Amino acid sequence: MKAIEAYIRDVIDFPKPGIVFKDLTPLLNNAEAMGLCLDALVQQIGDTHIDKVVGMEARGFFFGTLLAQKLQAGFVPVRKPGKLPYKTLSETYALEYGTDVLEIHEDAIQQGDRVLIHDDVLATGGTAEAVCKLVERLGGQIVQCNFIMELQFLNGRDKLKGQDVASILKY
Ligand code: AMP
C-alpha cells in the first residue's frame, strides 16, 4: 500500500479552496506503481466473475479499462451529459450546491450482468450512488463498488448501503 500511496500527490486548494485533491497522475506516470495498483484493485474484488466494469468519467476510465481487460470483462463508460453518442439513461444527483447528471448507454449492460463499479476516489458517494442506480435500472447486478482511494471523513459508504464497498487507500 505504501508503494502505491507514495505516488498519490496531494494538491491543496484544487479545484477550489479547502479541497485537498488526490492527484493520481504520478501513479499513472510510473509503470511499476500502476501495476501494483492494478493488482491491488483486482485482489480486493476476489475470485468472482465480472461481466462488465463501469467506470466514471474521467478518472474512473484509467484503471476501469485496465481492470476490464484483466477480468476479461467489457468496459462501460459513464459520462457527463451529452458526451455519449447513442441512446442513454440519465440519473440526476445532488452536489454540495445544485445537481449534476450522469449518463450511460442503454444497451451497455444486459439483464443479470455482474457489474463492478470503479472510480479513483470515493468522496461523498453521490457519484457512485447515481452510477449504482443507472446500473440497477438496466438490470445489472452490482458485485462491488471498487475505488483506489476513500475519503472516510466524508462518509461516502452511507450512500452505498447494501453494496460491497472496497478501497485500497483510506484517508
Ligand atoms: P463523490 O463526492 O464521492 O461523488 O465524488 C465525486 C467525484 O469527484 C469522484 O469521481 C472523485 O473522483 C472526485 N473527487 C472527489 N473528491 C476528490 C478529491 N479530494 N480528490 C480527487 N478526486 C476527488
Side-chain angles (χ1 to χ4, degrees):
M1 297 314 142
K2 283 268 176 276
I4 300 168
E5 197 169 0
Y7 288 90
I8 303 294
R9 174 166 55 196
D10 281 358
V11 182
I12 312 294
D13 293 335
F14 182 88
K16 51 185 182 183
I19 306 282
V20 178
F21 190 86
K22 296 288 183 189
D23 176 19
L24 85 166
T25 61
L27 177 66
L28 298 173
N29 201 266
N30 184 285
E32 195 185 345
M34 239 202 318
L36 286 174
C37 185
L38 182 59
D39 289 346
L41 289 170
V42 169
Q43 206 171 18
Q44 69 184 357
I45 299 162
D47 189 16
T48 186
H49 178 73
I50 303 290
D51 295 302
K52 300 281 164 63
V53 176
V54 175
M56 283 85 122
E57 181 173 356
R59 290 181 300 279
F61 294 173
F62 300 133
F63 281 94
T65 49
L66 293 173
L67 271 173
Q69 268 293 294
K70 194 103 175 171
L71 298 167
Q72 291 291 289
F75 177 74
V76 178
V78 166
R79 301 205 62 182
K80 302 279 167 60
K83 300 282 191 189
L84 288 170
Y86 188 60
K87 295 178 205 161
T88 57
L89 283 189
S90 308
E91 192 67 42
T92 303
Y93 62 104
L95 296 174
E96 197 178 352
Y97 302 105
T99 59
D100 214 340
V101 178
L102 286 173
E103 295 185 342
I104 193 169
H105 272 153
E106 65 174 26
D107 63 351
I109 288 168
Q110 312 307 313
Q111 190 77 32
D113 269 355
R114 291 174 58 78
V115 175
L116 181 84
I117 292 174
H118 169 78
D119 203 357
D120 64 337
V121 175
L122 173 63
T124 66
T127 306
E129 183 186 28
V131 175
C132 286
K133 286 181 182 163
L134 287 170
V135 169
E136 282 169 349
R137 282 168 63 195
L138 289 175
Q141 187 191 328
I142 300 164
V143 176
Q144 185 181 76
C145 296
N146 172 290
F147 304 92
I148 301 171
M149 293 168 266
E150 176 175 355
L151 308 181
Q152 289 182 305
F153 54 93
L154 293 174
N155 301 315
R157 281 176 189 255
D158 291 353
K159 290 212 174 70
L160 302 174
K161 289 227 167 72
Q163 305 294 356
D164 175 20
V165 178
S167 59
I168 304 171
L169 303 173
K170 295 172 179 68
Y171 298 95

